[in-house]
Amino acid sequence: MKNNIRQHINKILGLSVLLISTVGCSDFLDEQDPSNLQPESFYTTATHAQAAIAAVYAEARFVGDGAGIFSSNWQFLMAPTGTTTTETAQNSDLNNLYSLSFDANTLHVRNWWGGIYQVIANANLVLENVPGIDMDEAEKNRILSEAKFLRAWAYFYAVRIWGDVPLITLPQSATSEDFSPVRAPQQEVYGLILTDLTEAENGGLPWTDESGRVGQAAVKTLLAKVYLTMAGQPLNETGRYADAAAKAKEVIDNAGPLRLFDTYGELHDESLNNTGEHIFSLQYNDLVASNPMGNMYPNFQPVTYRGPSGTGSTIPDIDFYNSYDDADLRKVNREGWFYSSYYRDGTGELFDLGKPYIFKYFNRTADGTEGVPGTAKDNLNLMIFRYAEVLLIYAEAENEVNGPTQGAWDALKAIRDRATLDTPALGTFNAQSFREAVWTERWHELAFEMKAWFDMVRLRQVYNVSTGGFDAFVGHVNLNSDQPLQEKHLLFPLPEQEIINSPNLTQNPGY
């Protein structure tokens, strides 16, 4: 923690120097080195404030950064779920995630800790320094609301991954009182998350923003997710189900441009970034950073303009794939989440891949499709929240409060209608059967979106791909690893180096 905060606290300053057009050649002869600007001299104009929030957004892309050979940070939250496996097994850290043998030195664990606290550090700089800038008040409030959202988003990952975590709310230096912090109780972390999100919700944000900046819909969606999580384990604040249902209903009732796309292909059409079903995404552009989901491509098969390439280090677990109903459009080749054949080199004759691969992030614009060459520029965003999840949050939370109501059933049915699946009549459900129907839909609809692991932890239940039912978390055997989940797996270990650097930190049980 100490090294991460100290290493990254001033990163925004170096980045922002590039955006200041007022520094001329003669300024480099001045006594003060412009590359070593301090917060008191940097945060003075609206341009500085805009550069500062841009740096927070940029740091959020840590999710897509690399994690060693043939691996990426996003695989951290997919590999242990049992929904994915690998056909290359080239990365030992990733293999340890698949086999549930990860530990405090696993690279993905270290990268997520560092990435999360980089976002928090940069957000803290914004929240500390931007209020004093003389600038348009509406734009200032928007920037502060965005920073609060992004800090809450980062802490929400941290508290679900590690439980009690350091709660840092101010910029840090070696003389800071909490430079060697202790782990704050989860309730305190959630308290900050709710405060940040409530203030962001009232900060004058637009409902949505096609440029990719945070809007009110994103804030309300994250609030609904937070409430749903707090209602489950380990906090077990069941009264939060009502809060989750109410907040999700606000998004549904005021949807505006938000909607379910008509086809699944529209979800990975880069021309539709930040529109329709997309509520909040990490922004990718070939000029800065291309879409980071390349490790889902088949190992060395010519499915794109690149010819034989790809790593296959994240592919669907075949048992999970088989758990989809054959009538489910999400299972249909090149229509839903999977593909088992594609056009040679992206545009040529159709050829068989031998097994299903993940199609959810395949960018036909960049990689090519039948008779249409790809652009070789993958500008597809990485979706974080989408409207389908809001419907499922509402269906689950409303059922927990009032049983399977018409509104909850309508929300579930909307998801299943698009999948071309029949939904049993409302009267055939009781609270338990409806609950499991929604859980199952979450596993199938939100697959490969870094959400299943958190469902497993908050529910203490895991989808059994063989029976279609749910097992207790502890003792559930992931078929791709043949290893049972243990009590310790409810939390990940803190990175060992962080504990060495910060003597006040303690390790999670079992590690």
Side-chain angles (χ1 to χ4, degrees):
M1 176 67 179
K2 183 187 297 184
N3 276 3
N4 279 333
I5 292 178
R6 182 159 53 198
Q7 179 180 357
H8 301 292
I9 196 69
N10 288 321
K11 178 180 284 189
I12 184 176
L13 300 178
L15 172 66
S16 299
V17 166
L18 299 175
L19 301 177
I20 303 174
S21 60
T22 57
V23 177
C25 293
S26 62
D27 294 309
F28 288 100
L29 301 176
D30 292 344
E31 188 171 327
Q32 182 181 4
D33 180 356
S35 66
N36 289 319
L37 287 170
Q38 298 302 307
E40 58 270 17
S41 59
F42 175 78
Y43 292 97
T44 58
T45 71
T47 299
H48 297 167
Q50 291 155 0
I53 193 62
V56 190
Y57 280 106
E59 290 294 355
R61 285 201 295 266
F62 81 88
V63 174
D65 288 349
I69 184 172
F70 295 170
S71 190
S72 306
N73 287 340
W74 53 261
Q75 292 169 304
F76 171 55
L77 294 173
M78 293 189 203
T81 64
T83 62
T84 63
T85 186
T86 177
E87 61 181 352
T88 51
Q90 294 279 347
N91 185 296
S92 59
D93 290 288
L94 181 58
N95 293 342
N96 290 340
L97 288 169
Y98 280 120
S99 63
L100 301 178
S101 57
F102 50 83
D103 59 25
N105 288 307
T106 298
L107 179 58
H108 302 73
V109 174
R110 304 201 310 266
N111 286 354
W112 271 78
W113 181 281
I116 284 170
Y117 276 100
Q118 286 173 33
V119 172
I120 291 167
N122 278 8
N124 286 341
L125 282 168
V126 172
L127 294 170
E128 178 72 10
N129 293 290
V130 169
I133 296 177
D134 183 13
M135 60 181 292
D136 178 77
E137 285 299 314
E139 180 63 13
K140 178 190 290 187
N141 289 336
R142 179 173 187 175
I143 287 171
L144 293 173
S145 296
E146 291 170 328
K148 290 171 184 175
F149 170 90
L150 290 165
R151 184 169 69 175
W153 175 78
Y155 268 121
F156 188 44
Y157 275 120
V159 74
R160 290 179 296 167
I161 291 170
W162 294 290
D164 299 349
V165 291
L167 196 59
I168 308 298
T169 60
L170 294 172
Q172 297 290 289
S173 70
T175 60
S176 295
E177 183 177 344
D178 56 353
F179 189 61
S180 295
V182 298
R183 298 173 67 179
Q186 292 185 52
Q187 289 87 345
E188 289 185 22
V189 181
Y190 276 105
L192 176 68
I193 291 169
L194 292 180
T195 297
D196 275 353
L197 292 177
T198 301
E199 291 179 0
E201 188 180 24
N202 296 313
L205 293 170
W207 181 246
T208 58
D209 188 320
E210 291 190 13
S211 74
R213 295 177 69 174
V214 171
Q216 275 197 52
V219 178
K220 291 178 185 292
T221 298
L222 181 51
L223 265 171
K225 286 170 62 71
V226 171
Y227 289 139
L228 187 72
T229 301
M230 295 176 74
Q233 300 292 336
L235 297 188
N236 202 30
E237 296 181 8
T238 55
R240 293 296 187 180
Y241 280 121
D243 296 331
K247 197 57 62 177
K249 191 68 159 51
E250 286 183 37
V251 178
I252 294 168
D253 288 347
N254 300 285
L258 298 176
R259 61 183 178 86
L260 291 180
F261 283 130
D262 295 329
T263 66
Y264 295 116
E266 291 171 284
L267 279 171
H268 48 115
D269 180 344
E270 66 175 49
S271 71
L272 298 174
N273 281 343
N274 305 319
T275 67
E277 195 162 338
H278 299 296
I279 295 176
F280 176 65
S281 302
L282 300 183
Q283 304 297 297
Y284 285 89
N285 184 291
D286 185 68
L287 296 175
V288 178
S290 296
N291 180 276
M293 309 304 284
N295 284 312
M296 287 182 173
Y297 288 115
N299 182 37
F300 216 63
Q301 297 220 47
V303 298
T304 78
Y305 66 90
R306 301 178 186 89
S309 61
T311 71
S313 62
T314 286
I315 67 173
D317 175 78
I318 193 62
D319 296 299
F320 178 65
Y321 167 81
N322 288 332
S323 73
Y324 284 78
D325 191 298
D326 287 339
D328 193 328
L329 190 60
R330 292 169 297 198
K331 191 179 183 181
V332 174
N333 184 24
R334 301 190 308 279
E335 291 286 338
W337 302 158
F338 308 96
Y339 66 125
S340 55
S341 63
Y342 204 66
Y343 308 102
R344 188 170 301 277
D345 297 331
T347 63
E349 75 279 7
L350 201 63
F351 74 102
D352 185 64
L353 294 170
K355 66 180 77 168
Y357 293 89
I358 299 169
F359 200 53
K360 202 169 199 175
Y361 300 93
F362 192 98
N363 187 346
R364 280 174 276 211
T365 300
D367 296 326
T369 189
E370 184 178 18
V372 182
T375 64
K377 297 179 179 180
D378 197 341
N379 300 319
L380 184 66
N381 290 338
L382 177 56
M383 52 194 172
I384 300 298
F385 309 150
R386 58 189 179 93
Y387 190 64
E389 185 177 9
V390 176
L391 293 174
L392 290 170
I393 291 171
Y394 177 71
E396 180 179 353
E398 172 69 5
N399 179 63
E400 295 299 330
V401 176
N402 297 310
T405 62
Q406 184 69 48
W409 184 84
D410 288 343
L412 176 64
K413 184 176 184 295
I415 301 295
R416 291 178 60 84
D417 281 354
R418 185 170 61 172
T420 65
L421 294 172
D422 292 333
T423 303
L426 176 59
T428 65
F429 287 106
N430 58 30
Q432 180 60 27
S433 62
F434 191 83
R435 176 182 299 125
E436 294 198 8
V438 175
W439 290 353
T440 301
E441 215 55 54
R442 287 186 62 89
W443 249 265
H444 285 155
E445 176 66 23
L446 306 177
F448 319 123
E449 295 183 30
M450 299 179 289
K451 294 180 170 65
W453 181 260
F454 295 130
D455 280 347
M456 292 162 62
V457 171
R458 72 178 176 88
L459 299 172
R460 299 294 196 264
Q461 298 284 318
V462 185
Y463 180 63
N464 186 314
V465 296
S466 299
T467 67
F470 287 83
D471 300 337
F473 181 98
V474 177
H476 171 83
V477 175
N478 281 345
L479 296 183
N480 65 5
S481 67
D482 201 31
Q483 296 295 316
L485 288 163
Q486 304 173 42
E487 184 79 23
K488 73 173 187 177
H489 293 138
L490 291 166
L491 295 173
F492 284 92
L494 275 68
E496 181 176 348
Q497 193 60 47
E498 297 298 333
I499 294 178
I500 293 172
N501 291 338
S502 295
N504 291 332
L505 294 180
T506 57
Q507 186 56 276
N508 279 328
Y511 298 104

